[in-house]
Amino acid sequence: MTPPGMPSADAQTDVRADVSSGEAPRTNSVFLGFAPWIIFDVVASPSTWKYAALAALIAALVLNVPDLRRGSFKILEAASLVFFAVLFVLGLAVDRQDLLWLETYAQTLANGVIAVVALGSLAFAPFTEQYARESVPRQYWDTPLFRRTNRILTAMWGGVFLVTALLGLLALHVRSGSDWLNWVIPIALLVAAIRFTKWYPAHVRARARG
């Protein structure tokens, strides 16, 4: 018999399952998903954005091979392939004079697109869920804790890239401080996001265990 005041064995199992479902995506997996976008941000400039798009496209193709072999495809990976393929084709097919706006806003546009992809996925399935499911048993995928954890992580990543896009836009219209807006603050935000992705799920599990 279960002692008075203690949850039943089934209830204990449910609690353990819910706590286990707080597992988050492996940070390395999420970071690799963003790798093509980060490569583009680092390489892109008014004179190199075409090469940056090609480098990002190659990175997206290479990183997607394992998922393609498994028959799995993630929204972040699909967005990477489509966006950088379109950029590269535009660079080849369209006259440079018609792409001056793209030379100017390439990095801001890339960060804005990934922010829209991340935040837009909240309306369906948070994109981090697709990574988390690789390390969490299927029976936990529909638990409230699993969903809530990934919604928060997805919103956080979307916010980071949205802020980065806005900082890049601001950097185009100020006379000083562009290094802070283009590099220092975005890198600090990226590092903080990676650390939060590692810390938050562990914090949620610890709090759920009481």
Side-chain angles (χ1 to χ4, degrees):
M1 292 181 62
T2 303
M6 292 292 291
S8 66
D10 289 342
Q12 292 176 22
T13 300
D14 291 341
V15 170
R16 286 195 296 271
D18 195 44
V19 171
S20 297
S21 70
E23 292 286 346
R26 295 172 183 170
T27 308
N28 290 342
S29 296
V30 175
F31 185 76
L32 287 177
F34 284 122
W37 304 88
I38 295 171
I39 290 172
F40 183 80
D41 267 352
V42 171
V43 178
S45 72
S47 61
T48 64
W49 67 268
K50 296 177 186 178
Y51 305 106
L54 178 59
L57 179 60
I58 292 172
L61 288 169
V62 171
L63 293 172
N64 285 338
V65 167
D67 281 342
L68 290 173
R69 288 177 176 174
R70 292 194 301 265
S72 170
F73 212 53
K74 299 179 177 67
I75 185 173
L76 188 59
E77 297 169 349
S80 299
L81 288 172
V82 172
F83 181 77
F84 294 117
V86 169
L87 274 192
F88 184 62
V89 170
L90 283 175
L92 292 177
V94 180
D95 186 77
R96 182 176 180 273
Q97 293 300 317
D98 295 327
L99 292 176
L100 291 177
W101 64 272
L102 188 54
E103 290 188 1
T104 302
Y105 296 102
Q107 289 167 300
T108 299
L109 178 64
N111 287 315
V113 167
I114 194 59
V116 169
V117 170
L119 295 174
S121 72
L122 291 171
F124 307 97
F127 83 89
T128 59
E129 277 194 14
Q130 294 180 303
Y131 295 94
R133 289 175 181 178
E134 295 177 346
S135 57
V136 175
R138 179 179 290 273
Q139 63 264 33
Y140 302 141
W141 293 358
D142 293 325
T143 61
L145 187 58
F146 179 81
R147 289 186 167 180
R148 184 170 64 251
T149 298
N150 282 285
R151 288 186 67 82
I152 290 174
L153 291 175
T154 294
M156 180 271 299
W157 278 105
V160 164
F161 279 94
L162 178 59
V163 170
T164 300
L166 294 175
L167 290 174
L169 187 61
L170 179 61
L172 295 171
H173 300 284
V174 297
R175 295 183 178 179
S176 62
S178 61
D179 285 344
W180 279 87
L181 297 172
N182 281 324
W183 297 104
V184 178
I185 298 176
I187 289 173
L189 289 174
L190 183 62
V191 171
I194 292 172
R195 291 183 175 179
F196 184 80
T197 302
K198 292 181 177 180
W199 169 81
Y200 181 70
H203 169 73
V204 169
R205 293 195 299 274
R207 187 173 60 184
R209 291 189 182 108

